[in-house]
Amino acid sequence: MEAIQRVLPDGLPVSIQVVIATLVLGVVWSLVTAERPFAGFPVITVDGQSPTKTWLWHGREAIAEGLRRFSGPFQVMTGTGPKIILPNKFADELRNHPALDFNKAFAKDFMVNYPGFEAHRLGLQNEHLISETVRVKLTQSLNLVTDDLVDETAASVHDVFGESEEWTTRLIREDMLEVVARLSSRVFLGRELCRNRRWLDIAKSYTVDSFLVSRLMRAVPAFLRPLAYLLIPQATSLRRAVRDARKLINPEVERRKAAVNAALAAGEKPPKVADTIGWMYEVAKGKDADYVAGQLSLTMAAIHTTTESTCSALLDICEYPEVAQQLREEIIEVIGKNGWAKTSLYKLKLMDSFLKEGQRFRPMGTTTMHRHVEKDLELSDGTVLPKGSRIMVASNFMDPAIYAEPEKFDAARFLKMRQQPGQENSWQFVTTSPAHTLFGHGQHACPGRFFASNEVKIALCHLLLKYDWRFVPEEGRPPPRVFESVYAVDQKSKIQARRRRAEIDLDSI
């Protein structure tokens, strides 16, 4: 402090001297503690930008440049330190490797030590609670929750999109957030809470705010993050959301616990449940668990990805209008004949292919399989991934050796690939492989992808049969929101919809 005072002009107020000294010391501390690139891995830059700015604003270009220049791993400098990018050829080799940790890969990115990020922190504190609830309980109960999803879809689509037969302009991401929040919450929390206005606001805002605050904090130097956290309005919203969620959910959790304990005390079986509050309680097996953080974690994962998938599908419908009628014909044939039977959604094979092709052609991310390296790991080519490094695997969506004419959108691409001998189950929307890593790959592939697939398909059945869709005249497809290597549907994206006469009544089937 004295050394800093000697170089400052005489007469500066002490308060100003303290602020300047704090900033200088913060800069020095940031430089001293900043994570350096790992030796032996090329650092990618593009367009003369610094390594960090390259990743923040030109992430996709950086990955493409690295894959073009190098046959092996390279690294990018993110806002939270270096990450090593591996070519897709290593996907199978790494997918279940015991030296790699999934949850630790995100600890720095999502600022888990700050209040409001309890849902992100849960994965580090109790990694099995969410994965087992989804992988075992939810996935095994998909047929039980179909009627609830159909019922909530009918109600929410009517409430959000209305009955006007005139073209109306919609902020599609905002609209689909509302629909998906209600669908997910119906299964996660039950009918009463899924329509609670405050819970729906939390479900929508927590997802968006947590990603936004994380992105903003990653974009500033580490020593300024505590200050940035205090100044970002959405950080305040995050803390308020957690507080209000506890007020809404904890009484229901306590009521469920009391019912279970009363049944056990009477020598009876606990009441059957078909929502994630009850399933998490069963998975916890009496151990302490943060059920509110668990619900926020489930909601965050489901809403963020499902809203994105459904919005992208509607944009593709607008861009390729001939596909809309083909999908309607399949819906009429399958749902009209079988209703919402156990196998109906599986039989929507063109829709399944259409969704998978949309994600291949315009993937939300170009990296996957995020992992933290727990100990030095030697790859098959002799490369050693250093302990403590974070890695990602590049996607492979445009490989002409796998996809004929990969630069063309073909809604039936995966339907045709499934028709090849022995390939029926290899190219479904939910199937993972090195060639299609939308849901990750290996033991940490998204456990909720089966639920998400059903949710999107049910929503599309209603949206396609009940409405026509088009881009706003003379505007075309809205540009995506870009950050790092992620392309997402922008919140300002607009398309138009109008009510149509449905060929079959989905609400009464």
Side-chain angles (χ1 to χ4, degrees):
M1 180 71 179
E2 292 180 1
I4 295 174
Q5 285 178 322
R6 285 197 294 268
V7 301
L8 294 175
D10 293 334
L12 274 181
V14 174
S15 59
I16 300 298
Q17 294 182 37
V18 170
V19 170
I20 294 174
T22 301
L23 290 173
V24 171
L25 291 173
V27 171
V28 172
W29 176 255
S30 180
L31 292 173
V32 170
T33 60
E35 293 191 60
R36 305 290 190 269
F38 291 101
F41 298 90
V43 178
I44 301 301
T45 61
V46 297
D47 297 335
Q49 300 280 334
S50 70
T52 301
K53 287 185 178 179
T54 289
W55 177 248
L56 287 176
W57 311 118
H58 307 281
R60 289 203 174 194
E61 295 91 327
I63 293 171
E65 178 71 5
L67 294 173
R68 183 185 67 81
R69 291 173 53 192
F70 306 106
S71 60
F74 53 93
Q75 63 186 318
V76 295
M77 290 300 296
T78 76
T80 57
K83 290 187 179 183
I84 297 172
I85 310 290
L86 294 104
N88 187 264
K89 64 184 179 182
F90 292 104
D92 272 336
E93 181 176 345
L94 297 173
R95 63 177 184 161
N96 297 328
H97 202 289
L100 301 175
D101 187 280
F102 175 73
N103 290 301
K104 286 184 181 179
F106 299 98
K108 292 180 181 179
D109 289 340
F110 286 105
M111 314 299 163
V112 296
N113 293 319
Y114 286 85
F117 286 90
E118 285 80 354
H120 298 275
R121 193 183 310 140
L122 182 67
L124 294 174
Q125 296 176 337
N126 192 347
E127 62 178 302
H128 297 295
L129 179 66
I130 299 302
S131 62
E132 290 301 297
T133 298
V134 176
R135 185 179 63 83
V136 178
K137 298 295 185 179
L138 176 57
T139 300
Q140 291 179 357
S141 303
L142 289 180
N143 292 323
L144 297 177
V145 302
T146 295
D147 287 345
D148 284 342
L149 284 176
V150 171
D151 179 64
E152 199 59 40
T153 301
S156 61
V157 165
H158 167 77
D159 292 345
V160 171
F161 294 101
E163 301 296 322
S164 175
E165 296 181 3
E166 302 295 324
W167 286 109
T168 58
T169 301
R170 317 293 312 190
L171 286 167
I172 193 57
R173 187 171 184 84
E174 179 179 309
D175 286 343
M176 286 313 307
L177 263 175
E178 176 74 12
V179 172
V180 172
R182 285 179 56 169
L183 296 186
S184 300
S185 297
R186 176 68 177 265
V187 174
F188 295 165
L189 292 171
R191 180 172 181 143
E192 183 176 344
L193 272 178
C194 89
R195 297 180 183 180
N196 179 286
R197 188 67 258 164
R198 178 56 184 145
W199 169 253
L200 286 175
D201 289 341
I202 292 171
K204 293 189 296 182
S205 66
Y206 187 85
T207 302
V208 175
D209 288 347
S210 66
F211 278 80
L212 177 61
V213 174
S214 297
R215 285 200 301 266
L216 292 174
M217 292 179 69
R218 291 202 300 268
V220 302
F223 78 95
L224 287 176
R225 284 178 190 148
L227 178 61
Y229 175 77
L230 294 175
L231 296 177
I232 297 171
Q234 289 81 2
T236 302
S237 299
L238 281 180
R239 296 192 297 273
R240 186 184 303 116
V242 173
R243 182 193 66 212
D244 290 354
R246 293 195 187 283
K247 292 179 180 178
L248 288 169
I249 296 173
N250 277 337
E252 181 65 15
V253 172
E254 294 306 315
R255 187 185 69 79
R256 302 288 188 90
K257 286 182 179 180
V260 170
N261 292 335
L264 293 175
E268 302 171 354
K269 287 185 177 181
K272 283 282 188 180
V273 295
D275 61 39
T276 55
I277 292 180
W279 292 331
M280 278 195 287
Y281 185 72
E282 292 174 0
V283 170
K285 297 179 179 178
K287 297 180 181 178
D288 288 337
D290 190 340
Y291 295 97
V292 174
Q295 288 296 330
L296 289 171
S297 181
L298 286 170
T299 299
M300 177 179 62
I303 289 178
H304 179 69
T305 54
T306 306
T307 298
E308 186 67 30
S309 296
T310 311
C311 287
S312 295
L314 288 176
L315 292 175
D316 287 338
I317 289 294
C318 295
E319 185 156 355
Y320 310 102
E322 69 281 359
V323 176
Q325 189 55 36
Q326 298 169 20
L327 291 172
R328 288 183 182 122
E329 291 171 1
E330 181 181 61
I331 295 167
I332 294 165
E333 171 66 22
V334 173
I335 307 300
K337 180 183 297 184
N338 305 300
W340 301 105
K342 184 176 180 179
T343 58
S344 291
L345 297 177
Y346 174 80
K347 291 179 179 179
L348 294 172
K349 294 185 178 182
L350 176 61
M351 182 182 290
D352 192 273
S353 175
F354 164 73
L355 290 169
K356 196 175 185 78
E357 175 70 351
Q359 298 296 342
R360 181 200 71 83
F361 194 68
R362 288 187 179 84
M364 183 168 65
T366 52
T367 59
T368 186
M369 297 177 64
H370 299 249
R371 303 288 190 270
H372 180 271
V373 180
E374 297 290 279
K375 62 180 181 179
D376 286 356
L377 171 59
E378 184 174 353
L379 301 176
S380 56
D381 69 346
T383 300
V384 176
L385 300 177
K387 177 182 177 179
S389 60
R390 293 174 295 166
I391 66 171
M392 301 181 284
V393 176
S395 60
N396 191 33
F397 293 119
M398 302 299 284
D399 188 346
I402 301 172
Y403 304 115
E405 298 183 292
E407 72 286 353
K408 292 185 178 180
F409 182 93
D410 180 359
R413 179 186 300 277
F414 293 100
L415 175 59
K416 291 180 284 190
M417 293 173 76
R418 289 176 66 181
Q419 291 170 344
Q420 299 173 8
Q423 298 296 304
E424 165 63 22
N425 298 318
S426 298
W427 301 104
Q428 296 180 59
F429 182 52
V430 296
T431 304
T432 73
S433 71
H436 206 291
T437 50
L438 166 67
F439 292 111
H441 188 44
Q443 69 184 39
H444 293 295
C446 173
R449 64 190 185 276
F450 303 96
F451 171 68
S453 175
N454 285 8
E455 197 174 20
V456 173
K457 288 176 181 177
I458 290 170
L460 283 181
C461 285
H462 285 262
L463 293 169
L464 284 169
L465 256 60
K466 294 178 178 179
Y467 299 91
D468 289 315
W469 302 91
R470 73 180 186 186
F471 291 136
V472 177
E474 301 182 12
E475 290 191 12
R477 190 179 187 118
R481 183 178 71 251
V482 180
F483 185 76
E484 297 180 338
S485 66
V486 174
Y487 279 24
V489 177
D490 193 273
Q491 291 178 320
K492 298 178 182 178
S493 295
K494 296 178 181 179
I495 60 176
Q496 292 189 330
R498 70 178 178 188
R499 191 66 161 91
R500 67 187 296 274
R501 186 183 298 276
E503 291 82 353
I504 56 175
D505 184 359
L506 293 175
D507 298 350
S508 62
I509 289 178

